[in-house]
Short mmCIF file of all heavy atoms in Angstrom, two decimals:
data_model
loop_
_atom_site.label_atom_id
_atom_site.label_comp_id
_atom_site.label_asym_id
_atom_site.label_seq_id
_atom_site.Cartn_x
_atom_site.Cartn_y
_atom_site.Cartn_z
N PRO A 1247 100.03 99.45 114.47
CA PRO A 1247 98.96 98.44 114.59
C PRO A 1247 98.01 98.50 113.42
O PRO A 1247 97.16 97.57 113.29
CB PRO A 1247 98.23 98.90 115.96
CG PRO A 1247 98.51 100.38 116.01
CD PRO A 1247 99.91 100.51 115.46
N LEU A 1248 98.07 99.44 112.58
CA LEU A 1248 97.17 99.45 111.43
C LEU A 1248 97.64 98.68 110.27
O LEU A 1248 96.85 98.34 109.30
CB LEU A 1248 96.95 100.92 111.00
CG LEU A 1248 96.29 101.89 111.92
CD1 LEU A 1248 96.31 103.25 111.42
CD2 LEU A 1248 94.93 101.44 112.32
N PHE A 1249 98.95 98.25 110.26
CA PHE A 1249 99.53 97.53 109.19
C PHE A 1249 100.11 96.21 109.63
O PHE A 1249 100.56 96.11 110.68
CB PHE A 1249 100.59 98.42 108.51
CG PHE A 1249 100.04 99.68 108.01
CD1 PHE A 1249 100.22 100.80 108.77
CD2 PHE A 1249 99.42 99.84 106.81
CE1 PHE A 1249 99.78 102.04 108.41
CE2 PHE A 1249 98.94 101.05 106.34
CZ PHE A 1249 99.16 102.12 107.09
N GLU A 1250 100.00 95.19 108.79
CA GLU A 1250 100.49 93.91 109.10
C GLU A 1250 101.95 93.79 108.58
O GLU A 1250 102.69 93.06 109.20
CB GLU A 1250 99.66 92.83 108.47
CG GLU A 1250 98.26 92.70 109.03
CD GLU A 1250 97.44 91.69 108.50
OE1 GLU A 1250 97.93 90.71 107.74
OE2 GLU A 1250 96.21 91.73 108.67
N LYS A 1251 102.33 94.45 107.49
CA LYS A 1251 103.62 94.29 106.97
C LYS A 1251 104.02 95.53 106.09
O LYS A 1251 103.06 96.20 105.42
CB LYS A 1251 103.69 93.10 106.04
CG LYS A 1251 105.01 92.77 105.51
CD LYS A 1251 105.15 91.39 104.93
CE LYS A 1251 106.59 91.09 104.56
NZ LYS A 1251 106.70 89.78 103.97
N ALA A 1252 105.20 95.95 106.10
CA ALA A 1252 105.67 97.15 105.36
C ALA A 1252 106.64 96.63 104.28
O ALA A 1252 107.36 95.57 104.48
CB ALA A 1252 106.33 98.18 106.16
N TYR A 1253 106.65 97.26 103.11
CA TYR A 1253 107.53 96.95 101.98
C TYR A 1253 108.38 98.16 101.70
O TYR A 1253 107.80 99.14 101.48
CB TYR A 1253 106.79 96.47 100.77
CG TYR A 1253 106.04 95.20 100.99
CD1 TYR A 1253 104.71 95.16 101.50
CD2 TYR A 1253 106.63 94.00 100.65
CE1 TYR A 1253 104.03 93.93 101.79
CE2 TYR A 1253 105.95 92.78 100.89
CZ TYR A 1253 104.68 92.80 101.43
OH TYR A 1253 104.10 91.60 101.55
N PHE A 1254 109.63 97.97 101.69
CA PHE A 1254 110.63 99.00 101.36
C PHE A 1254 111.37 98.64 100.09
O PHE A 1254 111.96 97.57 99.93
CB PHE A 1254 111.55 99.19 102.54
CG PHE A 1254 110.90 99.53 103.81
CD1 PHE A 1254 110.68 98.57 104.78
CD2 PHE A 1254 110.58 100.83 104.11
CE1 PHE A 1254 109.92 98.88 106.02
CE2 PHE A 1254 109.97 101.17 105.29
CZ PHE A 1254 109.67 100.20 106.20
N SER A 1255 111.36 99.65 99.21
CA SER A 1255 111.96 99.39 97.82
C SER A 1255 113.34 98.83 97.98
O SER A 1255 113.74 97.94 97.14
CB SER A 1255 111.85 100.76 96.99
OG SER A 1255 110.62 101.16 96.86
N HIS A 1256 114.21 99.48 98.77
CA HIS A 1256 115.61 99.08 98.86
C HIS A 1256 115.74 97.64 99.31
O HIS A 1256 116.76 96.95 99.10
CB HIS A 1256 116.39 100.04 99.62
CG HIS A 1256 116.02 100.09 101.11
ND1 HIS A 1256 114.88 100.77 101.51
CD2 HIS A 1256 116.67 99.62 102.18
CE1 HIS A 1256 114.93 100.58 102.96
NE2 HIS A 1256 115.92 99.90 103.23
N LEU A 1257 114.85 97.13 100.04
CA LEU A 1257 114.92 95.73 100.60
C LEU A 1257 114.33 94.74 99.69
O LEU A 1257 114.92 93.65 99.62
CB LEU A 1257 114.17 95.66 101.97
CG LEU A 1257 114.69 96.49 103.08
CD1 LEU A 1257 113.84 96.35 104.37
CD2 LEU A 1257 116.16 96.15 103.42
N VAL A 1258 113.33 95.07 98.88
CA VAL A 1258 112.76 94.09 97.94
C VAL A 1258 113.35 94.25 96.53
O VAL A 1258 113.20 93.35 95.67
CB VAL A 1258 111.22 94.15 97.89
CG1 VAL A 1258 110.65 93.76 99.26
CG2 VAL A 1258 110.72 95.51 97.42
N GLY A 1259 114.15 95.23 96.31
CA GLY A 1259 114.81 95.46 95.06
C GLY A 1259 113.91 95.87 93.89
O GLY A 1259 114.29 95.62 92.79
N MET A 1260 112.73 96.48 94.27
CA MET A 1260 111.79 96.91 93.18
C MET A 1260 111.38 98.28 93.61
O MET A 1260 111.25 98.57 94.83
CB MET A 1260 110.66 95.95 93.16
CG MET A 1260 111.00 94.55 92.66
SD MET A 1260 109.57 93.35 92.72
CE MET A 1260 109.97 92.46 94.23
N ARG A 1261 110.97 99.04 92.64
CA ARG A 1261 110.46 100.40 92.92
C ARG A 1261 109.15 100.77 92.33
O ARG A 1261 108.82 100.30 91.25
CB ARG A 1261 111.55 101.49 92.41
CG ARG A 1261 112.85 101.22 93.16
CD ARG A 1261 113.88 102.38 92.72
NE ARG A 1261 113.33 103.71 93.10
CZ ARG A 1261 113.50 104.27 94.16
NH1 ARG A 1261 114.15 103.84 95.23
NH2 ARG A 1261 113.08 105.52 94.48
N LYS A 1262 108.40 101.57 92.97
CA LYS A 1262 107.13 102.12 92.36
C LYS A 1262 107.59 103.22 91.34
O LYS A 1262 108.65 103.79 91.54
CB LYS A 1262 106.33 102.78 93.42
CG LYS A 1262 105.82 101.93 94.42
CD LYS A 1262 105.01 102.57 95.59
CE LYS A 1262 105.95 103.51 96.42
NZ LYS A 1262 105.31 104.20 97.52
N PRO A 1263 106.89 103.45 90.39
CA PRO A 1263 105.61 102.88 89.97
C PRO A 1263 105.68 101.62 88.99
O PRO A 1263 104.71 101.37 88.35
CB PRO A 1263 105.05 104.05 89.13
CG PRO A 1263 106.12 104.69 88.43
CD PRO A 1263 107.34 104.47 89.38
N ASN A 1264 106.81 100.89 89.04
CA ASN A 1264 106.93 99.79 88.19
C ASN A 1264 105.97 98.66 88.62
O ASN A 1264 105.76 98.44 89.82
CB ASN A 1264 108.39 99.21 88.27
CG ASN A 1264 109.31 100.20 87.71
OD1 ASN A 1264 109.17 101.01 86.84
ND2 ASN A 1264 110.57 100.17 88.27
N ARG A 1265 105.39 98.07 87.70
CA ARG A 1265 104.28 97.05 87.99
C ARG A 1265 104.87 95.97 88.80
O ARG A 1265 104.11 95.32 89.53
CB ARG A 1265 103.76 96.58 86.54
CG ARG A 1265 102.68 95.58 86.83
CD ARG A 1265 102.13 94.99 85.42
NE ARG A 1265 101.01 94.15 85.79
CZ ARG A 1265 99.82 94.22 85.40
NH1 ARG A 1265 99.60 95.26 84.55
NH2 ARG A 1265 98.84 93.42 85.71
N GLU A 1266 106.00 95.51 88.63
CA GLU A 1266 106.65 94.37 89.32
C GLU A 1266 106.49 94.49 90.92
O GLU A 1266 106.13 93.47 91.53
CB GLU A 1266 107.91 94.11 89.02
CG GLU A 1266 109.03 95.02 89.55
CD GLU A 1266 110.42 94.70 89.15
OE1 GLU A 1266 110.76 93.56 88.92
OE2 GLU A 1266 111.33 95.60 89.23
N ILE A 1267 106.64 95.67 91.44
CA ILE A 1267 106.46 95.80 92.96
C ILE A 1267 104.97 95.63 93.38
O ILE A 1267 104.71 95.02 94.39
CB ILE A 1267 107.00 97.19 93.45
CG1 ILE A 1267 106.96 97.27 95.02
CG2 ILE A 1267 106.28 98.34 92.83
CD1 ILE A 1267 107.84 96.25 95.64
N PHE A 1268 104.08 96.15 92.48
CA PHE A 1268 102.66 95.91 92.87
C PHE A 1268 102.33 94.48 92.77
O PHE A 1268 101.62 93.98 93.67
CB PHE A 1268 101.75 96.79 91.96
CG PHE A 1268 101.98 98.24 92.24
CD1 PHE A 1268 102.58 99.01 91.30
CD2 PHE A 1268 101.55 98.88 93.36
CE1 PHE A 1268 102.75 100.47 91.48
CE2 PHE A 1268 101.70 100.27 93.59
CZ PHE A 1268 102.32 100.98 92.55
N ASP A 1269 102.72 93.76 91.65
CA ASP A 1269 102.48 92.38 91.48
C ASP A 1269 103.04 91.53 92.55
O ASP A 1269 102.36 90.70 93.10
CB ASP A 1269 102.95 91.94 90.12
CG ASP A 1269 102.08 92.36 88.90
OD1 ASP A 1269 100.94 92.75 89.16
OD2 ASP A 1269 102.64 92.48 87.84
N PHE A 1270 104.20 91.88 93.07
CA PHE A 1270 104.84 91.23 94.16
C PHE A 1270 104.11 91.23 95.44
O PHE A 1270 103.90 90.22 96.00
CB PHE A 1270 106.30 91.79 94.38
CG PHE A 1270 107.05 91.22 95.48
CD1 PHE A 1270 107.56 89.96 95.49
CD2 PHE A 1270 107.07 92.00 96.69
CE1 PHE A 1270 108.27 89.50 96.65
CE2 PHE A 1270 107.79 91.49 97.80
CZ PHE A 1270 108.39 90.29 97.79
N VAL A 1271 103.64 92.41 95.80
CA VAL A 1271 102.94 92.54 97.04
C VAL A 1271 101.56 91.87 96.87
O VAL A 1271 101.06 91.24 97.85
CB VAL A 1271 102.67 94.12 97.35
CG1 VAL A 1271 101.80 94.19 98.67
CG2 VAL A 1271 104.10 94.69 97.70
N ILE A 1272 100.93 92.02 95.75
CA ILE A 1272 99.59 91.33 95.54
C ILE A 1272 99.75 89.79 95.72
O ILE A 1272 98.94 89.16 96.39
CB ILE A 1272 98.98 91.66 94.19
CG1 ILE A 1272 98.63 93.11 94.13
CG2 ILE A 1272 97.85 90.76 93.78
CD1 ILE A 1272 98.25 93.71 92.80
N GLN A 1273 100.75 89.23 95.08
CA GLN A 1273 100.98 87.81 95.09
C GLN A 1273 101.36 87.32 96.50
O GLN A 1273 100.83 86.29 96.89
CB GLN A 1273 101.93 87.42 93.98
CG GLN A 1273 101.41 87.53 92.65
CD GLN A 1273 102.45 87.21 91.53
OE1 GLN A 1273 103.61 86.83 91.85
NE2 GLN A 1273 102.00 87.47 90.27
N GLU A 1274 102.20 88.03 97.07
CA GLU A 1274 102.86 87.62 98.43
C GLU A 1274 101.62 87.58 99.41
O GLU A 1274 101.78 86.81 100.38
CB GLU A 1274 103.96 88.48 98.92
CG GLU A 1274 104.64 87.99 100.15
CD GLU A 1274 105.78 88.68 100.48
OE1 GLU A 1274 106.79 88.49 99.75
OE2 GLU A 1274 105.82 89.45 101.47
N ASN A 1275 100.75 88.47 99.30
CA ASN A 1275 99.66 88.53 100.32
C ASN A 1275 98.29 87.98 99.88
O ASN A 1275 97.28 88.12 100.56
CB ASN A 1275 99.42 90.02 100.70
CG ASN A 1275 100.67 90.54 101.39
OD1 ASN A 1275 100.84 90.27 102.58
ND2 ASN A 1275 101.49 91.33 100.67
N ASN A 1276 98.36 87.40 98.64
CA ASN A 1276 97.11 86.74 98.12
C ASN A 1276 96.01 87.67 97.98
O ASN A 1276 94.89 87.41 98.46
CB ASN A 1276 96.76 85.37 98.85
CG ASN A 1276 95.77 84.57 98.14
OD1 ASN A 1276 95.81 84.58 96.89
ND2 ASN A 1276 94.87 83.96 98.89
N LEU A 1277 96.20 88.84 97.55
CA LEU A 1277 95.25 90.00 97.46
C LEU A 1277 94.49 89.92 96.17
O LEU A 1277 95.06 89.55 95.16
CB LEU A 1277 95.96 91.40 97.58
CG LEU A 1277 96.71 91.62 98.88
CD1 LEU A 1277 97.45 93.02 98.72
CD2 LEU A 1277 95.84 91.56 100.18
N ASN A 1278 93.25 90.37 96.26
CA ASN A 1278 92.41 90.62 95.07
C ASN A 1278 92.60 92.06 94.69
O ASN A 1278 92.19 92.90 95.44
CB ASN A 1278 91.02 90.27 95.31
CG ASN A 1278 90.05 90.54 94.06
OD1 ASN A 1278 90.40 91.23 93.19
ND2 ASN A 1278 88.85 89.99 94.16
N PRO A 1279 93.26 92.38 93.60
CA PRO A 1279 93.47 93.76 93.32
C PRO A 1279 92.26 94.64 93.23
O PRO A 1279 92.29 95.86 93.50
CB PRO A 1279 94.20 93.79 91.94
CG PRO A 1279 94.79 92.42 91.85
CD PRO A 1279 93.85 91.47 92.64
N GLN A 1280 91.15 94.07 92.79
CA GLN A 1280 89.91 94.80 92.66
C GLN A 1280 89.32 95.14 94.09
O GLN A 1280 88.53 96.11 94.17
CB GLN A 1280 88.84 94.06 91.86
CG GLN A 1280 89.31 93.86 90.42
CD GLN A 1280 88.45 92.90 89.60
OE1 GLN A 1280 87.69 92.19 90.29
NE2 GLN A 1280 88.50 93.08 88.36
N LYS A 1281 89.77 94.50 95.10
CA LYS A 1281 89.24 94.71 96.42
C LYS A 1281 90.42 95.35 97.27
O LYS A 1281 90.22 95.30 98.56
CB LYS A 1281 88.80 93.46 97.11
CG LYS A 1281 87.51 92.79 96.37
CD LYS A 1281 87.04 91.63 97.11
CE LYS A 1281 85.75 91.11 96.42
NZ LYS A 1281 85.27 90.00 97.05
N THR A 1282 91.43 95.88 96.75
CA THR A 1282 92.53 96.31 97.41
C THR A 1282 92.69 97.90 97.14
O THR A 1282 92.69 98.31 95.91
CB THR A 1282 93.78 95.61 97.02
OG1 THR A 1282 93.63 94.18 97.32
CG2 THR A 1282 95.06 96.11 97.86
N LEU A 1283 92.96 98.67 98.14
CA LEU A 1283 93.15 100.07 97.97
C LEU A 1283 94.63 100.42 98.25
O LEU A 1283 95.20 100.12 99.23
CB LEU A 1283 92.20 100.81 98.98
CG LEU A 1283 92.38 102.39 99.00
CD1 LEU A 1283 92.02 102.87 97.63
CD2 LEU A 1283 91.51 103.00 100.07
N PHE A 1284 95.18 101.14 97.29
CA PHE A 1284 96.54 101.72 97.32
C PHE A 1284 96.39 103.24 97.65
O PHE A 1284 95.81 103.99 96.88
CB PHE A 1284 97.30 101.30 96.13
CG PHE A 1284 98.65 101.99 96.04
CD1 PHE A 1284 99.76 101.49 96.77
CD2 PHE A 1284 98.98 103.08 95.31
CE1 PHE A 1284 100.95 102.04 96.76
CE2 PHE A 1284 100.16 103.72 95.31
CZ PHE A 1284 101.22 103.12 95.96
N ILE A 1285 97.10 103.72 98.61
CA ILE A 1285 97.09 105.17 98.85
C ILE A 1285 98.56 105.73 98.88
O ILE A 1285 99.47 105.07 99.49
CB ILE A 1285 96.48 105.41 100.41
CG1 ILE A 1285 95.14 104.85 100.46
CG2 ILE A 1285 96.60 106.88 100.68
CD1 ILE A 1285 94.59 104.86 101.88
N ASP A 1286 98.76 106.79 98.14
CA ASP A 1286 100.05 107.35 97.99
C ASP A 1286 99.93 108.84 97.70
O ASP A 1286 98.92 109.32 97.30
CB ASP A 1286 100.74 106.67 96.80
CG ASP A 1286 102.27 106.84 96.93
OD1 ASP A 1286 102.78 107.88 96.54
OD2 ASP A 1286 102.89 105.86 97.38
N ASP A 1287 101.05 109.57 97.94
CA ASP A 1287 100.94 110.98 97.65
C ASP A 1287 101.65 111.28 96.37
O ASP A 1287 101.73 112.58 95.98
CB ASP A 1287 101.72 111.78 98.77
CG ASP A 1287 103.18 111.34 98.99
OD1 ASP A 1287 103.56 110.39 98.49
OD2 ASP A 1287 103.86 112.14 99.66
N SER A 1288 102.07 110.35 95.54
CA SER A 1288 102.73 110.67 94.23
C SER A 1288 101.79 110.18 93.10
O SER A 1288 101.40 109.06 93.00
CB SER A 1288 104.04 109.94 94.10
OG SER A 1288 104.88 110.33 95.16
N PRO A 1289 101.40 111.16 92.24
CA PRO A 1289 100.54 110.70 91.12
C PRO A 1289 101.10 109.59 90.30
O PRO A 1289 100.28 108.80 89.76
CB PRO A 1289 100.49 112.07 90.34
CG PRO A 1289 100.64 113.19 91.27
CD PRO A 1289 101.72 112.59 92.25
N GLN A 1290 102.34 109.58 90.03
CA GLN A 1290 102.89 108.60 89.18
C GLN A 1290 102.80 107.20 89.87
O GLN A 1290 102.63 106.18 89.17
CB GLN A 1290 104.34 108.83 88.81
CG GLN A 1290 105.34 108.80 89.87
CD GLN A 1290 105.64 110.07 90.57
OE1 GLN A 1290 104.73 110.99 90.54
NE2 GLN A 1290 106.72 110.29 91.29
N HIS A 1291 102.91 107.11 91.18
CA HIS A 1291 102.68 105.77 91.92
C HIS A 1291 101.14 105.45 91.83
O HIS A 1291 100.83 104.19 91.66
CB HIS A 1291 103.08 105.90 93.30
CG HIS A 1291 104.53 106.23 93.49
ND1 HIS A 1291 105.04 106.59 94.68
CD2 HIS A 1291 105.50 106.13 92.59
CE1 HIS A 1291 106.46 106.81 94.49
NE2 HIS A 1291 106.76 106.54 93.26
N ILE A 1292 100.21 106.35 91.91
CA ILE A 1292 98.86 106.06 91.65
C ILE A 1292 98.58 105.48 90.26
O ILE A 1292 97.85 104.47 90.25
CB ILE A 1292 98.01 107.33 91.94
CG1 ILE A 1292 98.16 107.87 93.41
CG2 ILE A 1292 96.56 107.15 91.63
CD1 ILE A 1292 97.71 106.87 94.44
N GLU A 1293 99.11 106.05 89.31
CA GLU A 1293 98.95 105.60 87.97
C GLU A 1293 99.54 104.15 87.81
O GLU A 1293 98.90 103.29 87.18
CB GLU A 1293 99.67 106.47 86.95
CG GLU A 1293 99.03 107.82 86.78
CD GLU A 1293 99.93 108.76 85.84
OE1 GLU A 1293 100.59 108.24 85.04
OE2 GLU A 1293 99.68 109.98 86.05
N GLY A 1294 100.71 103.88 88.43
CA GLY A 1294 101.25 102.54 88.40
C GLY A 1294 100.30 101.46 89.08
O GLY A 1294 100.10 100.39 88.56
N ALA A 1295 99.76 101.84 90.12
CA ALA A 1295 98.85 101.01 90.87
C ALA A 1295 97.61 100.70 90.11
O ALA A 1295 97.10 99.54 89.95
CB ALA A 1295 98.51 101.63 92.20
N ILE A 1296 96.98 101.76 89.50
CA ILE A 1296 95.86 101.59 88.61
C ILE A 1296 96.10 100.69 87.51
O ILE A 1296 95.27 99.77 87.14
CB ILE A 1296 95.33 102.94 88.19
CG1 ILE A 1296 94.71 103.64 89.43
CG2 ILE A 1296 94.21 102.75 87.16
CD1 ILE A 1296 94.44 105.13 89.15
N LYS A 1297 97.21 100.87 86.83
CA LYS A 1297 97.67 99.94 85.69
C LYS A 1297 97.74 98.54 86.16
O LYS A 1297 97.59 97.56 85.30
CB LYS A 1297 98.92 100.40 85.07
CG LYS A 1297 98.72 101.68 84.30
CD LYS A 1297 100.17 102.14 83.78
CE LYS A 1297 99.99 103.49 83.05
NZ LYS A 1297 101.28 103.88 82.53
N THR A 1298 98.02 98.27 87.45
CA THR A 1298 98.07 96.92 87.93
C THR A 1298 96.78 96.33 88.28
O THR A 1298 96.60 95.11 88.62
CB THR A 1298 99.06 96.90 89.15
OG1 THR A 1298 100.26 97.57 88.77
CG2 THR A 1298 99.38 95.55 89.67
N GLY A 1299 95.68 97.19 88.32
CA GLY A 1299 94.26 96.76 88.65
C GLY A 1299 93.88 97.09 90.00
O GLY A 1299 92.84 96.77 90.45
N LEU A 1300 94.75 97.79 90.68
CA LEU A 1300 94.37 98.15 92.12
C LEU A 1300 93.49 99.46 92.14
O LEU A 1300 93.51 100.19 91.17
CB LEU A 1300 95.66 98.58 93.02
CG LEU A 1300 96.63 97.44 93.19
CD1 LEU A 1300 98.02 97.95 93.64
CD2 LEU A 1300 96.09 96.47 94.22
N ASN A 1301 92.67 99.59 93.11
CA ASN A 1301 92.02 100.89 93.33
C ASN A 1301 93.09 101.78 94.03
O ASN A 1301 93.85 101.23 94.86
CB ASN A 1301 90.85 100.55 94.37
CG ASN A 1301 89.80 99.73 93.74
OD1 ASN A 1301 89.12 100.12 92.87
ND2 ASN A 1301 89.60 98.53 94.28
N ALA A 1302 93.02 103.04 93.68
CA ALA A 1302 94.06 103.86 94.20
C ALA A 1302 93.40 105.28 94.61
O ALA A 1302 92.56 105.81 94.01
CB ALA A 1302 95.17 104.14 93.16
N TYR A 1303 94.09 105.82 95.62
CA TYR A 1303 93.58 107.08 96.20
C TYR A 1303 94.82 108.02 96.26
O TYR A 1303 95.85 107.68 96.97
CB TYR A 1303 92.96 107.03 97.45
CG TYR A 1303 92.50 108.33 98.12
CD1 TYR A 1303 91.39 108.91 97.62
CD2 TYR A 1303 93.23 108.90 99.08
CE1 TYR A 1303 90.95 110.14 98.15
CE2 TYR A 1303 92.86 110.17 99.56
CZ TYR A 1303 91.70 110.73 99.14
OH TYR A 1303 91.37 111.97 99.65
N HIS A 1304 94.84 109.16 95.68
CA HIS A 1304 95.84 110.14 95.73
C HIS A 1304 95.78 110.98 96.97
O HIS A 1304 94.74 111.79 97.16
CB HIS A 1304 95.90 111.04 94.52
CG HIS A 1304 97.01 112.10 94.57
ND1 HIS A 1304 96.84 113.44 94.41
CD2 HIS A 1304 98.39 111.91 94.80
CE1 HIS A 1304 97.94 114.10 94.56
NE2 HIS A 1304 98.96 113.17 94.73
N LEU A 1305 96.66 110.81 97.97
CA LEU A 1305 96.61 111.52 99.21
C LEU A 1305 97.26 112.92 98.90
O LEU A 1305 98.50 112.97 98.80
CB LEU A 1305 97.37 110.73 100.32
CG LEU A 1305 97.36 111.27 101.69
CD1 LEU A 1305 95.98 111.28 102.29
CD2 LEU A 1305 98.33 110.59 102.62
N SER A 1306 96.54 113.92 99.10
CA SER A 1306 96.99 115.32 98.75
C SER A 1306 97.72 115.75 100.08
O SER A 1306 97.51 115.25 101.18
CB SER A 1306 95.97 116.19 98.43
OG SER A 1306 95.14 116.47 99.45
N SER A 1307 98.55 116.82 99.89
CA SER A 1307 99.31 117.46 101.01
C SER A 1307 98.40 118.00 101.95
O SER A 1307 98.82 118.25 103.12
CB SER A 1307 100.26 118.45 100.35
OG SER A 1307 99.63 119.53 99.72
N LEU A 1308 97.18 118.31 101.57
CA LEU A 1308 96.07 118.86 102.55
C LEU A 1308 96.03 117.95 103.78
O LEU A 1308 95.88 118.34 104.83
CB LEU A 1308 94.80 119.01 101.86
CG LEU A 1308 93.58 119.40 102.70
CD1 LEU A 1308 93.84 120.77 103.19
CD2 LEU A 1308 92.32 119.26 101.92
N PHE A 1309 96.08 116.61 103.54
CA PHE A 1309 95.99 115.71 104.63
C PHE A 1309 97.20 115.32 105.39
O PHE A 1309 97.16 114.67 106.31
CB PHE A 1309 95.29 114.35 104.07
CG PHE A 1309 93.95 114.52 103.55
CD1 PHE A 1309 93.68 114.48 102.17
CD2 PHE A 1309 92.87 114.65 104.37
CE1 PHE A 1309 92.40 114.64 101.74
CE2 PHE A 1309 91.60 114.93 103.90
CZ PHE A 1309 91.38 114.77 102.58
N LEU A 1310 98.34 115.88 104.86
CA LEU A 1310 99.66 115.54 105.53
C LEU A 1310 100.03 116.44 106.68
O LEU A 1310 101.00 116.24 107.27
CB LEU A 1310 100.66 115.49 104.39
CG LEU A 1310 100.50 114.36 103.31
CD1 LEU A 1310 101.64 114.48 102.20
CD2 LEU A 1310 100.51 112.97 103.95
N HIS A 1311 99.24 117.46 106.82
CA HIS A 1311 99.66 118.41 107.84
C HIS A 1311 99.09 118.15 109.16
O HIS A 1311 98.05 117.59 109.37
CB HIS A 1311 99.20 119.87 107.44
CG HIS A 1311 100.00 120.34 106.21
ND1 HIS A 1311 101.20 120.71 106.25
CD2 HIS A 1311 99.54 120.33 104.90
CE1 HIS A 1311 101.62 121.01 104.92
NE2 HIS A 1311 100.60 120.86 104.07
#
């Protein structure tokens, strides 16, 4: 109930941290990157999101337990 849609790399044919996946999700949902938060546990994915203009938060393993 917290999410409206999920994106799976193998279904959309794009992978993080490549910019194209971030641009695709932004455009498909008409998002403002400056007002969008991306959360992930991989530093390279965080870097890719930031390069796309998204706000990003690195979820550490501390929170995954």
Side-chain angles (χ1 to χ4, degrees):
L1248 298 176
F1249 302 98
E1250 294 179 16
K1251 188 167 185 176
Y1253 293 88
F1254 299 95
S1255 297
H1256 66 284
L1257 295 178
V1258 296
M1260 295 173 258
R1261 298 187 58 90
K1262 299 176 290 185
N1264 298 330
R1265 183 181 181 122
E1266 69 177 339
I1267 184 67
F1268 295 109
D1269 286 337
F1270 173 76
V1271 173
I1272 289 167
Q1273 291 173 6
E1274 185 168 290
N1275 294 283
N1276 196 31
L1277 300 173
N1278 178 344
Q1280 297 172 341
K1281 294 184 177 182
T1282 304
L1283 176 62
F1284 174 77
I1285 301 170
D1286 200 282
D1287 63 343
S1288 298
Q1290 67 271 22
H1291 297 167
I1292 296 298
E1293 289 176 25
I1296 290 171
K1297 287 179 182 176
T1298 309
L1300 295 164
N1301 296 291
Y1303 179 80
H1304 180 234
L1305 183 66
S1306 69
S1307 61
L1308 174 67
F1309 295 106
L1310 297 177
H1311 296 284

